[in-house]
Amino acid sequence: MFKKLLIANRGEIACRVIRTCREMGIGTVAVYSEADSRSLHVRLADEAVLIGPPAVSESYIAVDRVVGAARESGAEAVHPGYGFLSENRLFAEALERAGIAFVGPSASAIESMGDKIRSKAIAAQAGVSTIPGHVGRIEGSDHAVEIAGQIGYPLMIKASSGGGGKGMRVAFREDELLPGLQSARNEARSAFGDDSILLEKFIQKPRHIEIQVLADSFGNCIYLNERECSIQRRNQKVIEEAPSPFLDAETRSAMGRQAVELARAVDYCSAGTVEFIVDGDKNFYFLEMNTRLQVEHPVTELITGIDLVEQMIRVAAGEKLAISQEDVCRKGWAIESRIYAEDPFRGFLPSTGRLTRYRPPVEHHDSETAVRNDTGVFEGGEISIHYDPMIAKLCSWGKDRDSAMETMRRALDEFELEGIECNLPFLSTVMDHRRFVDGDITTAFIEEEFPQGFNAVEPCELDARRLACAAAHMHLRLETRRAAIAQSPNEDEPDIRRDWVVGISGQAGREYRLTCEPGTGSSSFRFDDGETVDLVTDWVPGDVLGRFEFNDEPMLLKVGRLSGGVRIRNRGMDVRALVQSPRQAELGEIVATNVVEDLVGQLKCPMPGMVISVDVSGGDTVSVGQPLCTIEAMKMENVLKAERAATVSRILVSPGDSLAVNDVIVEFD
């Protein structure tokens, strides 16, 4: 077995590999860019080597620098994680020349499966069901139009190399083909250094289901059941689960056998994943093979009890698989929620900055439930513009799907994350969504259920009243403490107001008048219509997470102080509760409302990022939906479009410029 292993990656996957290496008694070496000098994976590793500046092209995907770090540190093996160099044939070959083991498949397998055009042809020859499309390279715009006409719309534009949702677009009409083609090429070139594109039929309302395979150098190959990854946004997976709520035993077995046959066809040796698109009739089609560890591998580990990183290392060290197909079990259900640094209320725009609070739920694993959190960040750490926006992978396990979902709901409720925006509210909303609960999902789920983007969940009347009681209780505790601090020793106990008007923000803008009878850890509230709510809580001033019981029904609330009230978040709800005396509420009704600044004449940058292109010039007349500018943020391209017809008066940026939020890009007459 290896004595020292280098991890050619960063973030949570580097930390994940380090954890298994420690359990196996293997020393670890981290590599890091200048932007990652204080990162968690650097802290956790036994050694760390600086490999370059923040740009991935000069650090994490610079083959010579990573191989040089392996030589310098004396590492006997390199685990690439996922992304970056994990599916780079030249990297695997360079390590082989240096006499360093690559914890992954052979360079030839990477080359065969890494090119989606070639892999599709190999899959067809191996008897694997494939999607109709053009097996060959697209030579140019005219060729693309011709091929698209032959395949028919809608069609998928997809980077030949790489994965992770990058370099993928869907064209539903001919006028969407060339812009999508150019954008996919730009994104693929930036992420993978290869802008080759293929076109294939887009199967509408499909499910994305993948099979995990594991093979050694002795000809043994098995599959470890499936994962469903249908909850996606912009082809980027958001929630995954294992097993799939859709497959039956017959379909699962057929997909598993085909995945193994494909792996055997390229002499695969390591962990890998064969991805399929499955339609509503359970017909499945080969999508691609990822010759690496998948982001969502923890859910497979939770239902099988198999450490995939350990198996990859053992296979790379020349060991034979100790697991046969008959040994593979499927125990319980697991769900993974990807927590991203993005603002779900602003179109999921990337969010960067410092994590002022980072308290994930406590990890545990017993016979009934489990919570696992794979992460690469820490409280006080910085979320950088340079890399993927994923903060953590929160996983739950239960005896069945209902148990796994409820465990995930509680874990999301308990996750404290402040300083940047994140998608926790969105994840909680999906976990409660009727279609997700029923397992009635497709890759179009987010587009169909949130066509206008994501907004905070509107509290029902019951929840709104509960939140009003919680706000009044917290306000009362703060007022009591403030009065006690200001009280002189000889003064009588201060008289604290007991009647309040609580305004709850939201579409309805509800307002409640209530009276409180306080206790030490409880309060009783009576509304002006006679309803009574008994509240019990462990919350004390300063807590940002409180457990509340309303008439014996529990809620876990995230709270933050605001001027005159409190911000309360729970299960996708995000409300501002303003607590006032009756007189304050009366006067507030006649106070003038602030006038919102008119920004019609400007296009401002909605996220930190770099200008890739400016698509208009001064004097141009633009129409609704016309592309104005393309911004790259966290390795994804974002096209900013005109919201109304206007004339461009001035361009204030150029390609290559780095922008902050609200920097002005274009001014209009």
Side-chain angles (χ1 to χ4, degrees):
M1 183 48 63
F2 308 119
K3 291 184 173 60
K4 185 184 289 189
L5 180 145
L6 181 141
I7 302 103
N9 218 298
R10 64 177 302 279
E12 63 84 14
I13 188 57
C15 297
R16 158 75 188 94
V17 175
I18 290 170
R19 185 175 71 240
T20 287
C21 287
R22 281 183 175 174
E23 293 173 356
M24 297 177 70
I26 300 172
T28 55
V29 182
V31 293
Y32 66 96
S33 71
E34 292 168 355
D36 275 340
S37 60
R38 295 181 62 249
S39 293
L40 185 61
H41 76 285
V42 175
R43 296 184 179 189
L44 293 179
D46 298 311
E47 304 173 36
V49 180
L50 174 65
I51 55 172
V56 295
S57 60
E58 300 177 60
S59 54
Y60 292 109
I61 64 172
V63 172
D64 55 341
R65 296 191 181 191
V66 178
V67 174
R71 283 201 187 99
E72 175 187 332
S73 63
E76 303 162 79
V78 171
H79 195 300
Y82 54 75
F84 291 150
L85 295 172
S86 61
E87 295 177 286
N88 188 304
R89 172 184 59 85
L90 299 177
F91 180 54
E93 291 174 344
L95 288 173
E96 184 178 4
R97 289 193 298 271
I100 300 169
F102 177 67
V103 183
S106 65
S108 62
I110 292 173
E111 183 177 25
S112 297
M113 293 293 99
D115 185 315
K116 293 182 179 65
I117 296 171
R118 184 176 178 186
S119 66
K120 188 173 180 179
I122 293 173
Q125 290 177 349
V128 180
S129 177
T130 59
I131 301 173
H134 176 70
V135 182
R137 299 194 180 277
I138 305 301
E139 302 301 334
S141 298
D142 291 342
H143 190 211
V145 172
E146 178 186 349
I147 295 300
Q150 295 171 1
I151 298 172
Y153 292 91
L155 55 82
M156 174 68 78
I157 305 165
K158 184 162 45 177
S160 180
S161 300
K166 296 180 176 66
M168 297 176 69
R169 297 290 187 273
V170 177
F172 290 92
R173 306 183 306 274
E174 184 174 333
D175 62 351
E176 296 177 343
L177 175 63
L178 296 184
L181 187 68
Q182 186 60 51
S183 187
R185 277 185 167 145
N186 291 344
E187 208 166 83
R189 188 185 306 113
S190 174
F192 316 120
D194 180 1
D195 65 356
S196 300
I197 295 293
L198 62 84
L199 301 178
E200 61 188 19
K201 184 69 176 175
F202 177 65
I203 297 175
Q204 299 190 69
K205 296 190 176 181
R207 300 178 80 114
H208 186 130
I209 300 175
E210 57 193 31
I211 302 291
Q212 176 73 61
V213 296
L214 187 60
D216 62 21
S217 58
F218 298 90
N220 301 303
C221 185
I222 61 176
Y223 67 94
L224 307 181
N225 301 305
E226 84 282 1
R227 299 182 288 258
E228 172 131 10
C229 311
S230 296
I231 305 296
Q232 303 180 6
R233 189 184 65 80
R234 290 186 64 180
N235 301 307
Q236 182 74 50
K237 300 165 189 173
V238 178
I239 295 174
E240 302 100 344
E241 59 184 308
S244 165
F246 182 63
L247 293 193
D248 53 38
E250 182 180 357
T251 307
R252 176 180 296 112
S253 177
M255 293 174 71
R257 290 195 303 270
Q258 288 198 15
V260 167
E261 286 305 309
L262 179 59
R264 293 187 189 282
V266 292
D267 295 324
Y268 199 82
C269 177
S270 190
T273 299
V274 181
E275 300 195 351
F276 293 94
I277 289 294
V278 184
D279 67 20
D281 296 321
K282 294 187 175 68
N283 298 308
F284 58 90
Y285 305 94
F286 171 71
L287 185 62
E288 63 182 342
M289 182 175 188
N290 289 306
T291 55
R292 54 169 167 82
L293 193 68
Q294 288 281 90
V295 177
E296 57 273 18
H297 75 275
V299 293
T300 295
E301 295 183 328
L302 285 168
I303 67 165
T304 63
I306 297 171
D307 185 326
L308 287 169
V309 173
E310 177 185 352
Q311 294 302 317
M312 293 179 75
I313 293 172
R314 293 192 179 282
V315 166
E319 294 186 14
K320 182 181 294 187
L321 282 181
I323 310 161
S324 67
Q325 192 64 59
E326 292 71 28
D327 296 326
V328 178
C329 66
R330 194 175 78 250
K331 181 181 179 182
W333 211 284
I335 299 174
E336 176 180 290
S337 294
R338 299 191 189 187
I339 299 173
Y340 288 116
E342 60 188 16
D343 188 348
F345 303 118
R346 298 180 64 234
F348 297 92
L349 293 176
S351 179
T352 60
R354 190 171 301 281
L355 289 171
T356 57
R357 190 174 184 87
Y358 181 74
R359 310 283 173 85
V362 176
E363 294 184 278
H364 74 273
H365 197 151
D366 56 41
S367 60
E368 297 293 325
T369 63
V371 171
R372 167 176 167 176
N373 187 56
D374 286 17
T375 188
V377 303
F378 57 91
E379 189 167 291
E382 192 85 12
I383 302 299
S384 168
I385 188 177
H386 301 290
Y387 309 116
D388 188 274
M390 190 163 61
I391 295 171
K393 301 183 310 193
L394 182 63
C395 303
S396 66
W397 175 87
K399 287 187 172 182
D400 53 31
R401 191 168 187 262
D402 286 343
S403 174
M405 284 191 293
E406 186 55 34
T407 301
M408 177 60 74
R409 292 186 188 107
R410 290 197 303 270
L412 290 168
D413 285 347
E414 294 172 0
F415 211 122
E416 302 177 51
L417 201 160
E418 305 291 343
I420 63 166
E421 300 301 326
C422 70
N423 65 334
L424 281 170
F426 177 72
L427 295 169
S428 292
T429 301
V430 173
M431 208 54 53
D432 283 334
H433 197 284
R434 175 193 54 79
R435 279 185 58 188
F436 182 80
V437 172
D438 293 343
D440 178 23
I441 54 178
T442 70
T443 56
F445 171 85
I446 292 177
E447 295 174 7
E448 291 171 354
E449 298 302 322
F450 305 96
Q452 304 303 318
F454 176 70
N455 296 306
V457 174
E458 183 75 8
C460 64
E461 180 64 17
L462 176 62
D463 284 339
R465 287 182 175 241
R466 289 174 173 177
L467 299 184
C469 292
H473 175 87
M474 289 184 280
H475 186 77
L476 182 62
R477 290 295 302 272
L478 290 167
E479 287 294 299
T480 302
R481 186 179 69 166
R482 186 180 299 112
I485 293 172
Q487 182 184 9
S488 299
N490 297 325
E491 287 182 341
D492 294 334
E493 185 173 330
D495 183 25
I496 305 298
R497 174 176 289 279
R498 298 288 187 263
D499 57 324
W500 302 99
V501 178
V502 182
I504 299 295
S505 67
Q507 295 175 2
R510 284 164 282 192
E511 187 174 86
Y512 300 97
R513 295 176 180 269
L514 45 81
T515 303
C516 173
E517 292 298 329
T520 303
S522 64
S523 299
S524 180
F525 293 92
R526 180 176 294 277
F527 288 81
D528 59 358
D529 61 3
E531 181 184 358
T532 299
V533 174
D534 293 326
L535 183 154
V536 178
T537 179
D538 63 355
W539 184 87
V540 296
D543 285 353
V544 297
L545 189 68
R547 289 169 173 80
F548 294 76
E549 287 188 6
F550 303 92
N551 294 338
D552 297 324
E553 292 192 23
M555 289 182 77
L556 194 62
L557 304 180
K558 296 172 185 174
V559 300
R561 291 182 62 181
L562 299 172
S563 177
V566 62
R567 179 187 182 190
I568 307 177
R569 289 168 288 173
N570 169 269
R571 300 284 174 92
M573 293 183 289
D574 190 342
V575 304
R576 273 69 173 168
L578 179 64
V579 184
Q580 299 176 303
S581 69
R583 181 56 177 163
Q584 286 174 319
E586 181 182 342
L587 294 173
E589 293 179 359
I590 60 175
V591 175
T593 304
N594 290 333
V595 177
V596 178
E597 179 186 3
D598 183 7
L599 300 178
V600 171
Q602 297 178 332
L603 171 66
K604 289 190 173 184
C605 188
M607 77 209 84
M610 184 178 73
V611 179
I612 299 300
S613 67
V614 178
D615 304 312
V616 292
S617 302
D620 287 356
T621 299
V622 299
S623 56
V624 176
Q626 181 175 336
L628 303 174
C629 181
T630 301
I631 305 293
E632 182 186 88
M634 292 180 168
K635 315 312 295 178
M636 296 289 280
E637 285 196 359
N638 302 270
V639 179
L640 308 184
K641 299 180 180 180
E643 295 184 353
R644 56 179 56 84
T647 301
V648 177
S649 62
R650 191 159 64 121
I651 307 292
L652 288 85
V653 302
S654 300
D657 287 353
S658 293
L659 303 181
V661 175
N662 289 330
D663 281 353
V664 178
I665 299 171
V666 179
E667 291 182 346
F668 302 98
D669 288 334

